[in-house]
Amino acid sequence: MEQRGVTVWFTGLSGAGKTTIRMAVEQELRDRGLKVEVLDGDIVRQYLTKGLGFSKEDRDENIRRIGFVAHLLSRNGVVVLVSAISPYRATRDEVRQRTGDFVEVYVNAPLAICEQRDVKGLYKRARAGEIKQFTGIDDPYEAPLNADVECKTDEESLAESTVKVLTHLERLGYVPIAEAIASI
Ligand code: ADP
């Protein structure tokens, strides 16, 4: 059977767990033999959207470009996993409208938890004023109102979050149903 493409869009604060869940989902999909591609916000900003900053306009442009590429891939049968803070609801919704096959995953952890994790040391720097316009500190994050999947990473394990995403994709027919989830 021909694989149906889809864009799976992980949104949430820095440190919420987007990359971690994305990697676990990616591994599982690859294990099932699916065509998968990844657009990671941090990496995209070094190439596709190099030079863009963190004003609202630049963040929106960043997201639109990621959305454009994700659409090209997903309409050709690829499962595209996007992890990007993508703080603006309207811009995410715009990308969803353009893309069609689109699953929004809200990776939700309270700011205090993200800050405590401080995976990349960025919150510390933002609090010290070394980084401006940092989402959650001095820049907004507009949480999804109706995400397809919500992963509350302060309450659930990585395995639980990953299964939530995979189960949703199975239910919608984007990925074949597995007997058991092997990689987590
Ligand atoms: P982001 O990509 O959203 O900036 P990361 O994935 O880089 O976030 O970091 C999230 C951190 O939270 C990691 O250190 C990860 O181990 C931890 N974590 C704890 N519980 C979970 C969970 N249920 N899902 C994802 N990450 C979790």
Side-chain angles (χ1 to χ4, degrees), residues 15-28:
K18 300 180 295 298
T19 301
T20 307
I21 300 169
R22 187 272 293 162
M23 285 170 68
V25 170
E26 179 187 358
Q27 188 57 55
E28 182 61 32

Side-chain angles (χ1 to χ4, degrees), residues 157-172:
S157 68
L158 172 59
E160 285 170 325
S161 299
T162 307
V163 167
K164 268 189 182 175
V165 177
L166 290 166
T167 305
H168 189 78
L169 295 175
E170 287 175 347
R171 217 177 272 145
L172 295 180

